[in-house]
Amino acid sequence: MIPWLTIAIALPAIGAVAVWALARAQAPAADTAQRRRSEAATGGGTDTITEVRPAGPAAVGAENAKRAAFGFSLATLAVVVAMALRFDTGAGGLQFEQTHEWIPRFGVHYAVGVDGIALVLILLSAVLVPLVMLAAWREHDDREDGGAGYFALILALQAMMVGVFAAADVFLFYVFFEAMLIPVYFMIGRYGRGEQRARAAVKFLLYSLVGGLIMLVAVIGVYVVGGTFLWTELAGPGGALAGIETELAVWLFLGFFIAFAIKAPMWPVHTWLPDAAQASRPGTAVLLVGVLDKVGTYGMLRYCLELFPSAVSAFVWPVVALSLVSIVYGAILAIGQSDMMRLIAYTSVSHFGFITLGIFALTEQAQAGAALYMVNHGFATGALFLVVGFLIARRGSAQIADYGGVQKVAPQLAGVFLVAGLAGLALPGLAPFVSEFLVLVGVYAFNPVAAVVAVIGVVLAALYILWMFQRTMTGPTPEKLSGLKDLNLREKWAVGPLLALLIVFGLYPQPLLDAIDPAVERTVQIGTEDASATDGATAEEGGEG
């Protein structure tokens, strides 16, 4: 049997090492060229050394390193697509499983496997990575490594993203969950933009570490109670955690949930995201919001609901309330933003509120919509961040006030901006509409009032997206933008596939739903059965009293 998941993890990991080695091999040549230019500029002195774009062999080396990174990302995409074509949508449970002892003394295994939800999220990451590389090809030309180090970090992050979605051992999941912080920290702090990038990177790291340490306590608790880290032996009605006391399950649930809520992020632990997005390069923001944040909502489905079903009923309404606050609060703050990167980040806080609302509504339609929303949000927000990145590359600013009338000088860029924005507000015919509609229908069956409050977020989405488009793309063109260039071929290749996917899955989402539905049915069945049992027990105790 071909170890598809191991190959999908190993390919980008090997690529990261290879690209980093290529980048380091060219560092001496880059340093020499940099120093010589600095000496010439200062009359032979060496007190002032400024960053310059690598020249000669260094530039060639950086280009070769980036080409190698792009090749590894395409190879990973090919492996993931081949695996997806072999996925049996009619079978339940995990597929492509591998289990090997890793640390026998502590019962830790290298165990991987995917259900439909994990599969579509791995596909999402595999699609976004090469597109991000294309979009970021010239972003770091002014650095001594020509951006090769940034591309190596992207590949390292991709290996960990695939690993975290594929992990079927709770401890292995935790390792990937924490390891993702390392490349992201450097992608923001070293390769970000603005004077606040170091502060934003540290804030991201601290928030994530706090959540991770809380989850580590819960992971240890799971092993103490269940006697194993293997997810297949822990989850479900017949799993090792099925008979634990409700009070203990509540505490373990809470340990995982806090970490996932920070990662998602949900209100009120969301404040790291706008800062991180503002200080990030657009490509980093695409992976951060498009994929990494989905680890939080994926974890809620896979671990919170399936490992601790007896605790679910205690958290349904608190999480629903937090989700509704996130939807409305994120949308209102997005309206008031002057920075496009922060605006998109706040829209994502609102969108993640829809996802968590769908998860904890505990209806099949709502959870299917939430899982589909994770994928569609990645495509839509990824396209929006990339287009904003193209604007920043041309104008050097993310401030909305620095733009206006762009559609007159760059109509193709404005058109792409409009389609990506309309996808962000869930226009019918584009992919996010299907997922948002399913969430609202499923939530209405759960509680009509919650659905009505959530609709407020839909109305506000039209306001913040269309107002941003109006202020940047329409009206008179300032003289400083008169020479703004339209999309080039590389940029079209970077954003074009995302627009195509938004249209295809907006018109025909069934392939994604076919993969997602069996996993959702299992999760809903576990959650509703246990919630019913808990409610029944409570009612019986009340009757006896």
Side-chain angles (χ1 to χ4, degrees), residues 38-323:
S38 300
E39 290 176 356
T42 57
T46 57
D47 293 335
T48 304
I49 297 178
T50 57
E51 284 191 333
V52 296
R53 180 172 173 177
V60 173
E63 286 295 301
N64 288 338
K66 289 190 284 189
R67 290 191 187 102
F70 186 65
F72 274 103
S73 71
L74 291 180
T76 304
L77 174 60
V79 169
V80 173
V81 170
M83 178 179 67
L85 293 175
R86 288 163 174 77
F87 186 82
D88 185 1
T89 57
L94 301 182
Q95 299 182 41
F96 311 113
E97 288 186 86
Q98 284 181 268
T99 303
H100 306 285
E101 286 190 345
W102 178 21
I103 311 175
R105 183 179 180 87
F106 299 104
V108 179
H109 295 76
Y110 171 78
V112 291
V114 292
D115 59 9
I117 299 173
L119 177 69
V120 296
L121 290 174
I122 290 173
L123 270 170
L124 171 66
S125 67
V127 168
L128 288 180
V129 165
L131 300 181
V132 164
M133 287 184 178
L134 276 178
W137 202 272
R138 294 298 174 205
E139 275 187 346
H140 304 283
D141 280 353
D142 59 337
R143 302 191 67 90
E144 62 181 28
D145 65 357
Y150 180 73
F151 278 49
L153 289 172
I154 292 177
L155 286 175
L157 178 59
Q158 182 179 24
M160 295 166 191
M161 290 189 299
V162 175
V164 79
F165 292 126
D169 178 282
V170 179
F171 188 84
L172 181 65
F173 172 83
Y174 174 77
V175 170
F176 281 120
F177 184 88
E178 291 290 82
M180 288 190 303
L181 305 182
I182 300 171
V184 177
Y185 173 80
F186 288 105
M187 289 168 74
I188 298 173
R190 178 174 171 77
Y191 291 95
R193 61 186 188 91
E195 297 178 356
Q196 297 297 316
R197 63 179 183 270
R199 177 181 175 274
V202 170
K203 187 174 182 179
F204 159 78
L205 188 65
L206 290 177
Y207 268 73
S208 300
L209 283 176
V210 169
L213 289 174
I214 294 172
M215 187 170 75
L216 177 60
V217 176
V219 168
I220 295 171
V222 164
Y223 181 74
V224 170
V225 175
T228 180
F229 286 117
L230 286 173
W231 184 85
T232 51
E233 296 181 6
L234 292 168
L241 297 179
I244 64 173
E245 297 179 1
T246 301
E247 184 177 354
L248 177 58
V250 165
W251 284 107
L252 293 176
F253 177 103
L254 195 59
F256 280 88
F257 180 79
I258 291 174
F260 297 145
I262 293 173
K263 183 72 75 178
M266 291 183 66
W267 181 89
V269 289
H270 68 285
T271 58
W272 65 266
L273 179 59
D275 291 344
Q278 184 178 16
S280 297
R281 297 286 183 172
T284 303
V286 170
L287 297 178
L288 181 64
V289 179
V291 184
L292 257 73
D293 290 353
K294 306 302 191 305
V295 175
T297 48
Y298 169 77
M300 292 177 191
L301 272 169
R302 169 61 68 84
Y303 292 92
C304 289
L305 266 61
E306 296 203 39
L307 291 186
F308 316 109
S310 60
V312 171
S313 59
F315 287 94
V316 167
W317 276 108
V319 177
V320 166
L322 289 175
S323 300

Side-chain angles (χ1 to χ4, degrees), residues 264-267 297 300 319-328 330 346-360 370 373 377 439 443 454:
M266 291 183 66
W267 181 89
T297 48
M300 292 177 191
V319 177
V320 166
L322 289 175
S323 300
L324 294 174
V325 172
S326 294
I327 291 171
V328 179
Y346 275 115
T347 69
S348 295
V349 173
S350 181
H351 292 149
F352 278 104
F354 277 102
I355 296 172
T356 53
L357 178 64
I359 290 171
F360 281 86
Y373 211 136
H377 174 266
V439 168
V443 171

Side-chain angles (χ1 to χ4, degrees), residues 403-420:
Y403 296 90
V406 173
Q407 67 179 3
K408 295 179 181 178
V409 292
Q412 295 177 8
L413 195 156
V416 170
F417 195 115
L418 179 61
V419 175

